[in-house]
Amino acid sequence: MTDQSLKDLGAHVAGALGAVVLATDVRLGELMLTVRRDSIVEVLTFLRDDPQCLFQELMDVCGADWPEQVERFEVIYNLLSISKNHRIRVKVRTEDGVPVPSVTALHPGAVWFERETWDMYGVLFAGHPDLRRILTDYGFEGHPLRKDFPLTGYVEVRYDDELKRVIYEPVKLTQDFRTFDFLSPWEGMTNVMLPGDEKAGVAKTGSKP
């Protein structure tokens, strides 16, 4: 579809749904809608059933984190119309602890997508039949794709040979003091002999080691 066709489709959806649609935009050849959080089921139902839309395939549900904003999380629904051969992206916003209505009754495939979004971002989905972790372990602490999640995580997993089981421990990343020379990549290695250095000596002096 051309950008103008996408804009016309966006105007059609906004006209039909009214104040439910907060914004429409066309980017990278796709129509994007921002809608009210509590109306996401209504919106996706309209997009599925309206003859001009027919977005019957929910391809993905994912999240985004904007921690500087009050409603820090975006939940993004990517839809495909096979008969029309075009896509649409629908976004809602929410904050920590405020659930988004589940769309699993409308799109059963959303069961795993919403679980992944919960696991990675901590976004709750009201009415989800089985909202639990799907990518991390059940004992995992935190949500890894939040911007404030530490790169090291909070716990580490290892197998204890004495206990004969997997155990969880707080992350410990102790390192010895190291001196770095930022001016030259070679000067910091002058006192260290590495395998093959003797060959370099032969090449420089022309003599046998």
Short mmCIF file of all heavy atoms in Angstrom, two decimals, residues 6-57:
data_model
loop_
_atom_site.label_atom_id
_atom_site.label_comp_id
_atom_site.label_asym_id
_atom_site.label_seq_id
_atom_site.Cartn_x
_atom_site.Cartn_y
_atom_site.Cartn_z
N LEU A 6 -2.36 4.16 3.25
CA LEU A 6 -2.25 3.88 4.67
C LEU A 6 -2.86 5.01 5.50
O LEU A 6 -3.54 4.76 6.51
CB LEU A 6 -0.79 3.66 5.06
CG LEU A 6 -0.12 2.40 4.49
CD1 LEU A 6 1.36 2.40 4.81
CD2 LEU A 6 -0.78 1.14 5.05
N LYS A 7 -2.64 6.24 5.08
CA LYS A 7 -3.25 7.37 5.78
C LYS A 7 -4.77 7.32 5.68
O LYS A 7 -5.48 7.60 6.65
CB LYS A 7 -2.72 8.68 5.20
CG LYS A 7 -1.25 8.95 5.52
CD LYS A 7 -0.77 10.25 4.89
CE LYS A 7 0.70 10.51 5.19
NZ LYS A 7 1.19 11.76 4.54
N ASP A 8 -5.27 6.95 4.51
CA ASP A 8 -6.72 6.82 4.34
C ASP A 8 -7.28 5.71 5.24
O ASP A 8 -8.35 5.87 5.84
CB ASP A 8 -7.06 6.52 2.88
CG ASP A 8 -6.73 7.69 1.95
OD1 ASP A 8 -6.59 8.82 2.46
OD2 ASP A 8 -6.61 7.45 0.74
N LEU A 9 -6.55 4.61 5.35
CA LEU A 9 -6.98 3.53 6.22
C LEU A 9 -6.96 3.98 7.68
O LEU A 9 -7.88 3.67 8.46
CB LEU A 9 -6.09 2.30 6.05
CG LEU A 9 -6.43 1.08 6.91
CD1 LEU A 9 -7.85 0.60 6.62
CD2 LEU A 9 -5.42 -0.03 6.67
N GLY A 10 -5.92 4.72 8.06
CA GLY A 10 -5.86 5.25 9.41
C GLY A 10 -7.02 6.18 9.73
O GLY A 10 -7.61 6.13 10.81
N ALA A 11 -7.39 7.02 8.74
CA ALA A 11 -8.53 7.92 8.92
C ALA A 11 -9.83 7.13 9.04
O ALA A 11 -10.72 7.48 9.83
CB ALA A 11 -8.61 8.89 7.75
N HIS A 12 -9.93 6.04 8.29
CA HIS A 12 -11.12 5.19 8.38
C HIS A 12 -11.25 4.57 9.77
O HIS A 12 -12.33 4.58 10.37
CB HIS A 12 -11.05 4.10 7.31
CG HIS A 12 -12.05 3.00 7.50
ND1 HIS A 12 -13.40 3.17 7.28
CD2 HIS A 12 -11.88 1.69 7.90
CE1 HIS A 12 -14.03 2.04 7.54
NE2 HIS A 12 -13.14 1.13 7.91
N VAL A 13 -10.14 4.04 10.29
CA VAL A 13 -10.17 3.41 11.61
C VAL A 13 -10.47 4.45 12.68
O VAL A 13 -11.31 4.23 13.57
CB VAL A 13 -8.83 2.70 11.90
CG1 VAL A 13 -8.82 2.15 13.32
CG2 VAL A 13 -8.59 1.58 10.89
N ALA A 14 -9.80 5.61 12.60
CA ALA A 14 -10.02 6.66 13.60
C ALA A 14 -11.46 7.17 13.54
O ALA A 14 -12.07 7.46 14.58
CB ALA A 14 -9.03 7.80 13.37
N GLY A 15 -12.02 7.28 12.34
CA GLY A 15 -13.40 7.73 12.21
C GLY A 15 -14.39 6.75 12.79
O GLY A 15 -15.40 7.14 13.38
N ALA A 16 -14.09 5.45 12.66
CA ALA A 16 -15.00 4.43 13.16
C ALA A 16 -14.91 4.26 14.67
O ALA A 16 -15.91 4.02 15.35
CB ALA A 16 -14.72 3.10 12.47
N LEU A 17 -13.70 4.41 15.22
CA LEU A 17 -13.51 4.15 16.64
C LEU A 17 -13.53 5.42 17.49
O LEU A 17 -13.60 5.33 18.72
CB LEU A 17 -12.19 3.40 16.86
CG LEU A 17 -12.13 2.00 16.26
CD1 LEU A 17 -10.74 1.40 16.44
CD2 LEU A 17 -13.17 1.10 16.89
N GLY A 18 -13.43 6.57 16.87
CA GLY A 18 -13.56 7.83 17.60
C GLY A 18 -12.42 8.08 18.58
O GLY A 18 -11.24 7.89 18.27
N ALA A 19 -12.80 8.46 19.81
CA ALA A 19 -11.82 8.88 20.81
C ALA A 19 -10.94 7.73 21.30
O ALA A 19 -9.95 7.96 22.00
CB ALA A 19 -12.54 9.51 22.00
N VAL A 20 -11.27 6.50 20.94
CA VAL A 20 -10.45 5.36 21.31
C VAL A 20 -9.06 5.46 20.68
O VAL A 20 -8.06 5.07 21.28
CB VAL A 20 -11.14 4.05 20.89
CG1 VAL A 20 -10.19 2.87 20.97
CG2 VAL A 20 -12.37 3.82 21.76
N VAL A 21 -9.00 6.02 19.47
CA VAL A 21 -7.72 6.17 18.76
C VAL A 21 -7.09 7.49 19.17
O VAL A 21 -7.65 8.56 18.94
CB VAL A 21 -7.92 6.11 17.23
CG1 VAL A 21 -6.60 6.31 16.51
CG2 VAL A 21 -8.55 4.78 16.83
N LEU A 22 -5.92 7.43 19.77
CA LEU A 22 -5.23 8.63 20.26
C LEU A 22 -4.35 9.26 19.20
O LEU A 22 -4.14 10.47 19.21
CB LEU A 22 -4.39 8.27 21.49
CG LEU A 22 -5.15 7.65 22.67
CD1 LEU A 22 -4.18 7.30 23.79
CD2 LEU A 22 -6.22 8.61 23.17
N ALA A 23 -3.79 8.46 18.29
CA ALA A 23 -2.90 8.99 17.26
C ALA A 23 -2.77 7.98 16.13
O ALA A 23 -2.87 6.77 16.34
CB ALA A 23 -1.53 9.31 17.83
N THR A 24 -2.56 8.49 14.92
CA THR A 24 -2.26 7.65 13.75
C THR A 24 -1.00 8.19 13.09
O THR A 24 -0.75 9.39 13.10
CB THR A 24 -3.42 7.63 12.74
OG1 THR A 24 -3.58 8.95 12.20
CG2 THR A 24 -4.71 7.18 13.40
N ASP A 25 -0.22 7.29 12.53
CA ASP A 25 1.03 7.71 11.88
C ASP A 25 1.42 6.67 10.86
O ASP A 25 1.04 5.49 10.96
CB ASP A 25 2.14 7.87 12.93
CG ASP A 25 3.34 8.62 12.38
OD1 ASP A 25 3.24 9.19 11.27
OD2 ASP A 25 4.39 8.62 13.05
N VAL A 26 2.15 7.08 9.85
CA VAL A 26 2.69 6.17 8.84
C VAL A 26 4.20 6.29 8.88
O VAL A 26 4.77 7.36 8.66
CB VAL A 26 2.16 6.51 7.43
CG1 VAL A 26 2.84 5.61 6.39
CG2 VAL A 26 0.65 6.34 7.37
N ARG A 27 4.86 5.19 9.18
CA ARG A 27 6.31 5.14 9.24
C ARG A 27 6.81 3.86 8.58
O ARG A 27 6.24 2.79 8.80
CB ARG A 27 6.82 5.18 10.68
CG ARG A 27 6.50 6.45 11.45
CD ARG A 27 7.09 6.39 12.84
NE ARG A 27 6.66 7.48 13.68
CZ ARG A 27 6.97 7.60 14.97
NH1 ARG A 27 7.71 6.67 15.54
NH2 ARG A 27 6.52 8.63 15.66
N LEU A 28 7.86 4.00 7.82
CA LEU A 28 8.51 2.85 7.20
C LEU A 28 7.52 1.97 6.45
O LEU A 28 7.60 0.75 6.45
CB LEU A 28 9.25 2.02 8.26
CG LEU A 28 10.30 2.78 9.08
CD1 LEU A 28 10.88 1.88 10.16
CD2 LEU A 28 11.41 3.31 8.19
N GLY A 29 6.53 2.61 5.81
CA GLY A 29 5.58 1.88 5.01
C GLY A 29 4.55 1.10 5.79
O GLY A 29 3.91 0.19 5.25
N GLU A 30 4.36 1.45 7.09
CA GLU A 30 3.37 0.76 7.90
C GLU A 30 2.51 1.79 8.64
O GLU A 30 3.00 2.85 9.05
CB GLU A 30 4.02 -0.17 8.92
CG GLU A 30 4.63 -1.42 8.31
CD GLU A 30 5.09 -2.40 9.37
OE1 GLU A 30 4.71 -2.21 10.55
OE2 GLU A 30 5.84 -3.33 9.03
N LEU A 31 1.26 1.44 8.82
CA LEU A 31 0.34 2.27 9.59
C LEU A 31 0.49 1.94 11.06
O LEU A 31 0.51 0.77 11.45
CB LEU A 31 -1.10 2.02 9.14
CG LEU A 31 -2.20 2.73 9.94
CD1 LEU A 31 -2.05 4.25 9.86
CD2 LEU A 31 -3.58 2.29 9.45
N MET A 32 0.61 2.97 11.89
CA MET A 32 0.75 2.80 13.33
C MET A 32 -0.37 3.54 14.04
O MET A 32 -0.63 4.70 13.75
CB MET A 32 2.10 3.31 13.82
CG MET A 32 3.29 2.64 13.17
SD MET A 32 4.85 3.19 13.87
CE MET A 32 6.01 2.40 12.75
N LEU A 33 -1.03 2.85 14.97
CA LEU A 33 -2.09 3.43 15.76
C LEU A 33 -1.69 3.41 17.23
O LEU A 33 -1.16 2.41 17.71
CB LEU A 33 -3.40 2.66 15.60
CG LEU A 33 -3.97 2.46 14.20
CD1 LEU A 33 -5.25 1.63 14.29
CD2 LEU A 33 -4.26 3.80 13.54
N THR A 34 -1.94 4.51 17.92
CA THR A 34 -1.84 4.53 19.38
C THR A 34 -3.25 4.64 19.92
O THR A 34 -3.99 5.56 19.54
CB THR A 34 -0.99 5.71 19.87
OG1 THR A 34 0.32 5.64 19.28
CG2 THR A 34 -0.86 5.69 21.38
N VAL A 35 -3.64 3.70 20.77
CA VAL A 35 -5.03 3.62 21.22
C VAL A 35 -5.07 3.57 22.74
O VAL A 35 -4.05 3.33 23.41
CB VAL A 35 -5.74 2.39 20.62
CG1 VAL A 35 -5.65 2.41 19.10
CG2 VAL A 35 -5.17 1.09 21.16
N ARG A 36 -6.26 3.75 23.27
CA ARG A 36 -6.44 3.69 24.72
C ARG A 36 -6.21 2.26 25.22
O ARG A 36 -6.65 1.30 24.60
CB ARG A 36 -7.84 4.16 25.11
CG ARG A 36 -8.09 5.63 24.81
CD ARG A 36 -9.41 6.09 25.40
NE ARG A 36 -9.69 7.48 25.07
CZ ARG A 36 -9.18 8.53 25.71
NH1 ARG A 36 -8.38 8.34 26.75
NH2 ARG A 36 -9.48 9.76 25.34
N ARG A 37 -5.54 2.18 26.34
CA ARG A 37 -5.19 0.86 26.88
C ARG A 37 -6.42 -0.01 27.13
O ARG A 37 -6.46 -1.18 26.74
CB ARG A 37 -4.41 1.07 28.19
CG ARG A 37 -4.07 -0.21 28.91
CD ARG A 37 -3.24 0.04 30.16
NE ARG A 37 -3.95 0.89 31.12
CZ ARG A 37 -3.61 2.14 31.43
NH1 ARG A 37 -2.57 2.69 30.84
NH2 ARG A 37 -4.30 2.84 32.31
N ASP A 38 -7.44 0.54 27.76
CA ASP A 38 -8.60 -0.26 28.13
C ASP A 38 -9.46 -0.67 26.92
O ASP A 38 -10.37 -1.49 27.07
CB ASP A 38 -9.48 0.52 29.12
CG ASP A 38 -8.76 0.77 30.44
OD1 ASP A 38 -7.81 0.02 30.74
OD2 ASP A 38 -9.14 1.71 31.16
N SER A 39 -9.14 -0.12 25.74
CA SER A 39 -9.95 -0.41 24.55
C SER A 39 -9.23 -1.31 23.56
O SER A 39 -9.68 -1.46 22.42
CB SER A 39 -10.34 0.91 23.85
OG SER A 39 -11.06 1.75 24.72
N ILE A 40 -8.13 -1.94 23.97
CA ILE A 40 -7.34 -2.70 23.01
C ILE A 40 -8.14 -3.87 22.43
O ILE A 40 -8.03 -4.17 21.22
CB ILE A 40 -6.03 -3.21 23.66
CG1 ILE A 40 -5.16 -3.92 22.63
CG2 ILE A 40 -6.31 -4.06 24.87
CD1 ILE A 40 -4.74 -3.06 21.46
N VAL A 41 -8.96 -4.53 23.21
CA VAL A 41 -9.76 -5.64 22.67
C VAL A 41 -10.76 -5.12 21.64
O VAL A 41 -10.95 -5.72 20.57
CB VAL A 41 -10.48 -6.40 23.80
CG1 VAL A 41 -11.39 -7.48 23.23
CG2 VAL A 41 -9.47 -7.01 24.76
N GLU A 42 -11.40 -4.01 21.93
CA GLU A 42 -12.34 -3.40 20.98
C GLU A 42 -11.64 -3.04 19.68
O GLU A 42 -12.17 -3.28 18.58
CB GLU A 42 -12.97 -2.15 21.61
CG GLU A 42 -13.87 -1.37 20.66
CD GLU A 42 -14.30 -0.03 21.23
OE1 GLU A 42 -14.01 0.25 22.40
OE2 GLU A 42 -14.94 0.74 20.47
N VAL A 43 -10.44 -2.47 19.79
CA VAL A 43 -9.70 -2.05 18.60
C VAL A 43 -9.31 -3.26 17.75
O VAL A 43 -9.52 -3.28 16.52
CB VAL A 43 -8.46 -1.24 19.00
CG1 VAL A 43 -7.57 -0.98 17.78
CG2 VAL A 43 -8.86 0.08 19.65
N LEU A 44 -8.75 -4.28 18.38
CA LEU A 44 -8.31 -5.44 17.61
C LEU A 44 -9.49 -6.21 17.03
O LEU A 44 -9.37 -6.82 15.95
CB LEU A 44 -7.46 -6.37 18.49
CG LEU A 44 -6.13 -5.81 19.00
CD1 LEU A 44 -5.26 -6.94 19.55
CD2 LEU A 44 -5.38 -5.04 17.93
N THR A 45 -10.62 -6.17 17.70
CA THR A 45 -11.82 -6.80 17.14
C THR A 45 -12.28 -6.07 15.88
O THR A 45 -12.62 -6.70 14.86
CB THR A 45 -12.96 -6.81 18.18
OG1 THR A 45 -12.54 -7.52 19.34
CG2 THR A 45 -14.21 -7.46 17.61
N PHE A 46 -12.27 -4.74 15.94
CA PHE A 46 -12.65 -3.96 14.76
C PHE A 46 -11.66 -4.21 13.62
O PHE A 46 -12.08 -4.42 12.46
CB PHE A 46 -12.68 -2.46 15.11
CG PHE A 46 -12.93 -1.58 13.92
CD1 PHE A 46 -14.22 -1.33 13.48
CD2 PHE A 46 -11.87 -0.99 13.23
CE1 PHE A 46 -14.45 -0.52 12.37
CE2 PHE A 46 -12.10 -0.19 12.12
CZ PHE A 46 -13.39 0.06 11.70
N LEU A 47 -10.38 -4.21 13.91
CA LEU A 47 -9.38 -4.41 12.86
C LEU A 47 -9.49 -5.81 12.25
O LEU A 47 -9.18 -5.99 11.07
CB LEU A 47 -7.97 -4.20 13.43
CG LEU A 47 -7.62 -2.77 13.85
CD1 LEU A 47 -6.25 -2.73 14.49
CD2 LEU A 47 -7.69 -1.81 12.67
N ARG A 48 -9.92 -6.77 13.02
CA ARG A 48 -10.09 -8.13 12.49
C ARG A 48 -11.32 -8.25 11.61
O ARG A 48 -11.28 -8.91 10.56
CB ARG A 48 -10.19 -9.12 13.65
CG ARG A 48 -10.29 -10.58 13.22
CD ARG A 48 -10.71 -11.48 14.37
NE ARG A 48 -12.08 -11.17 14.82
CZ ARG A 48 -12.68 -11.83 15.82
NH1 ARG A 48 -12.05 -12.79 16.46
NH2 ARG A 48 -13.92 -11.50 16.15
N ASP A 49 -12.43 -7.62 11.99
CA ASP A 49 -13.71 -7.88 11.36
C ASP A 49 -14.13 -6.85 10.30
O ASP A 49 -14.95 -7.17 9.44
CB ASP A 49 -14.81 -7.93 12.43
CG ASP A 49 -14.57 -9.07 13.42
OD1 ASP A 49 -13.84 -10.01 13.07
OD2 ASP A 49 -15.09 -8.98 14.55
N ASP A 50 -13.57 -5.63 10.36
CA ASP A 50 -13.99 -4.61 9.41
C ASP A 50 -13.56 -5.00 7.99
O ASP A 50 -12.40 -5.40 7.77
CB ASP A 50 -13.37 -3.26 9.78
CG ASP A 50 -13.82 -2.16 8.84
OD1 ASP A 50 -14.95 -1.67 8.98
OD2 ASP A 50 -13.01 -1.79 7.93
N PRO A 51 -14.45 -4.90 7.00
CA PRO A 51 -14.12 -5.33 5.63
C PRO A 51 -12.95 -4.58 5.01
O PRO A 51 -12.28 -5.12 4.12
CB PRO A 51 -15.42 -5.07 4.84
CG PRO A 51 -16.50 -5.06 5.88
CD PRO A 51 -15.88 -4.50 7.12
N GLN A 52 -12.71 -3.35 5.42
CA GLN A 52 -11.58 -2.60 4.87
C GLN A 52 -10.27 -2.93 5.57
O GLN A 52 -9.20 -2.50 5.13
CB GLN A 52 -11.86 -1.10 4.95
CG GLN A 52 -13.01 -0.63 4.10
CD GLN A 52 -13.12 0.89 4.06
OE1 GLN A 52 -12.11 1.58 3.94
NE2 GLN A 52 -14.34 1.39 4.13
N CYS A 53 -10.33 -3.66 6.65
CA CYS A 53 -9.13 -3.97 7.43
C CYS A 53 -8.76 -5.45 7.31
O CYS A 53 -7.75 -5.80 6.69
CB CYS A 53 -9.34 -3.60 8.90
SG CYS A 53 -9.69 -1.84 9.18
N LEU A 54 -9.55 -6.31 7.93
CA LEU A 54 -9.34 -7.76 7.90
C LEU A 54 -7.95 -8.16 8.39
O LEU A 54 -7.29 -9.04 7.83
CB LEU A 54 -9.58 -8.31 6.49
CG LEU A 54 -11.00 -8.14 5.95
CD1 LEU A 54 -11.10 -8.70 4.54
CD2 LEU A 54 -12.03 -8.80 6.87
N PHE A 55 -7.51 -7.50 9.49
CA PHE A 55 -6.24 -7.88 10.11
C PHE A 55 -6.52 -9.07 11.04
O PHE A 55 -6.71 -8.92 12.24
CB PHE A 55 -5.66 -6.69 10.89
CG PHE A 55 -5.18 -5.58 10.01
CD1 PHE A 55 -5.95 -4.44 9.83
CD2 PHE A 55 -3.96 -5.67 9.37
CE1 PHE A 55 -5.51 -3.40 9.02
CE2 PHE A 55 -3.50 -4.64 8.55
CZ PHE A 55 -4.28 -3.51 8.38
N GLN A 56 -6.52 -10.24 10.44
CA GLN A 56 -6.94 -11.44 11.15
C GLN A 56 -5.79 -12.20 11.80
O GLN A 56 -6.03 -13.12 12.59
CB GLN A 56 -7.71 -12.35 10.20
CG GLN A 56 -8.98 -11.71 9.65
CD GLN A 56 -9.65 -12.55 8.57
OE1 GLN A 56 -9.03 -13.43 7.99
NE2 GLN A 56 -10.92 -12.29 8.32
N GLU A 57 -4.57 -11.82 11.48
CA GLU A 57 -3.41 -12.54 12.01
C GLU A 57 -2.64 -11.64 12.98
O GLU A 57 -2.17 -10.56 12.62
CB GLU A 57 -2.47 -12.97 10.88
CG GLU A 57 -3.10 -13.89 9.85
CD GLU A 57 -3.46 -15.24 10.43
OE1 GLU A 57 -2.75 -15.70 11.35
OE2 GLU A 57 -4.46 -15.83 9.98
#
